[in-house]
Amino acid sequence: MKTAVSTVETKTWSLIYADFKEITKARLAISVVFSSIAGYFLGAIEINYISILLLSFGGYCMVGASNAFNQIIEKDLDALMDRTKNRPIPAGRITVNKAIVIAVVLTVIGIVSLYLLSPKTAMFGAISIFLYTSVYTPLKTITPLAVFVGAFPGAIPFMLGWVAATNDFGIEPGTLFMIQFFWQFPHFWALAWMLDEDYKKGGFKMLPTGKKDKGTALQIIMYTIWMLLISVVPAFGFTGRLHLSIPAAIVVFAMGLVMLVFAFKLYEKRDNKSARKLMLASVSYITLMQIVYVIDKFLQ
């Protein structure tokens, strides 16, 4: 009897944990934390592991809170789309009130954790939540410009790590911000291309022209080029302490060219398969680019 009760309790906690990961979008949150840690390593003169722990924990909480608020606001629209109808709120596994408690608690814990690093770090974290939930989320059903607005909170994590390490905002974290800002357009539009039919069920306007056409594909190419150029700017000595060696810049540029090739393939074929390849290439690019930046710093 005790074994049966124990098994039920284990399954219950397993389901709660699964729903918590879903409502906080754990995979996305972990990728954001990775970007923040990369930014921290680039900015830090001495590595403080307590600071890394606070940045990781606070960063996850802030991203998790943003995603929880987003799912509360969009619960009715999520129920209309195949991709999101099984999320905890529209599926009825978590009530709106419980989701609000989760979001608020994560916000408070996240801001406090980041404040312990520095007030500026907490400020940028709070700005990120506000823009994502109060501006980007409502705009998604109104205008494709929502993606432009959403790129601001989305670009904060990489620079947030630098600010956490230095308690300073200047050309260095500004450059990290710009790299991730321009990267988001080809990444997200490739994803939106794949999910366009499903997004339309929820009334979301995510593609820049509203269609899977040459106009959208051309804008993807343009933003990929901007991302590529800004990614190698630190090699030319214009970005303060943020420096990239020539060999590392060549590697970053080559990776960006691969992504650009996939962008041109999407322009040529304009199909979901090409969009998926570009989306996967963009994920690989942002991760590997950050790793190259960090390794290059410690090799110099």
Side-chain angles (χ1 to χ4, degrees):
M1 186 67 177
K2 288 184 179 179
T3 302
V5 172
S6 177
T7 302
V8 171
E9 289 179 348
T10 301
K11 287 183 178 179
T12 300
W13 282 109
S14 177
L15 291 172
I16 291 173
Y17 176 62
D19 283 340
F20 179 79
K21 290 197 300 181
E22 182 76 14
I23 202 168
T24 59
K25 292 187 181 178
R27 290 176 63 184
L28 172 62
I30 290 171
S31 70
V32 169
V33 169
F34 180 86
S35 292
S36 299
I37 292 174
Y40 177 88
F41 278 122
L42 291 174
I45 296 174
E46 293 183 2
I47 305 300
N48 184 310
Y49 292 101
I50 298 298
S51 295
I52 293 175
L53 182 62
L54 286 171
L55 179 62
S56 301
F57 182 66
Y60 187 99
C61 288
M62 298 297 272
V63 178
S66 296
N67 290 323
F69 279 124
N70 173 267
Q71 291 182 47
I72 292 166
I73 296 168
E74 294 181 348
K75 64 184 187 304
D76 295 329
L77 300 179
D78 280 348
L80 302 175
M81 297 183 291
D82 295 334
R83 184 178 64 94
T84 55
K85 64 185 179 182
N86 289 319
R87 283 178 173 174
I89 301 176
R93 297 191 302 275
I94 293 180
T95 65
V96 172
N97 288 340
K98 286 183 180 178
I100 291 173
V101 170
I102 292 171
V104 171
V105 169
L106 287 175
T107 300
V108 173
I109 294 175
I111 290 177
V112 170
S113 298
L114 296 182
Y115 187 85
L116 292 174
L117 286 170
S118 75
K120 285 184 181 177
T121 308
M123 178 191 72
F124 281 119
I127 289 173
S128 177
I129 287 185
F130 174 78
L131 288 176
Y132 189 86
T133 60
S134 301
V135 185
Y136 165 69
T137 297
L139 282 178
K140 287 165 68 178
T141 57
I142 299 173
T143 173
L145 286 174
V147 175
F148 178 79
V149 175
F152 283 90
I156 285 177
F158 199 16
M159 68 152 229
L160 189 71
W162 185 289
V163 175
T166 64
N167 193 31
D168 183 51
F169 182 84
I171 187 66
E172 300 93 344
T175 302
L176 299 180
F177 176 90
M178 293 301 292
I179 293 170
Q180 197 149 353
F181 178 81
F182 282 104
W183 167 82
Q184 286 179 91
F185 293 93
H187 169 73
F188 188 79
W189 282 335
L191 181 63
W193 187 296
M194 295 164 50
L195 300 173
D196 185 54
E197 289 77 13
D198 209 25
Y199 273 133
K200 286 179 178 176
K201 293 177 184 177
F204 294 125
K205 305 177 187 298
M206 309 310 291
L207 293 176
T209 67
K211 301 176 183 178
K212 299 195 288 186
D213 59 9
K214 283 189 174 182
T216 289
L218 182 60
Q219 290 197 50
I220 288 174
I221 290 171
M222 292 171 59
Y223 278 97
T224 303
I225 291 172
W226 276 111
M227 174 209 74
L228 177 57
L229 294 176
I230 294 170
S231 293
V232 296
V233 164
F236 298 95
F238 304 135
T239 53
R241 285 204 301 117
L242 180 65
H243 181 69
L244 195 64
S245 69
I246 297 302
I250 292 172
V251 172
V252 170
F253 191 78
M255 293 190 301
L257 284 179
V258 172
M259 188 171 157
L260 186 59
V261 168
F262 283 112
F264 274 106
K265 286 289 186 181
L266 179 59
Y267 180 83
E268 177 187 352
K269 297 183 178 180
R270 298 190 299 282
D271 60 4
N272 285 354
K273 185 177 180 180
S274 299
R276 176 175 173 77
K277 288 181 179 179
L278 174 59
M279 188 272 293
L280 293 174
S282 69
V283 172
S284 298
Y285 174 82
I286 196 68
T287 304
L288 292 174
M289 179 273 297
Q290 290 169 348
I291 291 173
V292 169
Y293 262 70
V294 172
I295 291 175
D296 186 59
K297 175 193 172 178
F298 287 100
L299 288 180
Q300 291 181 46

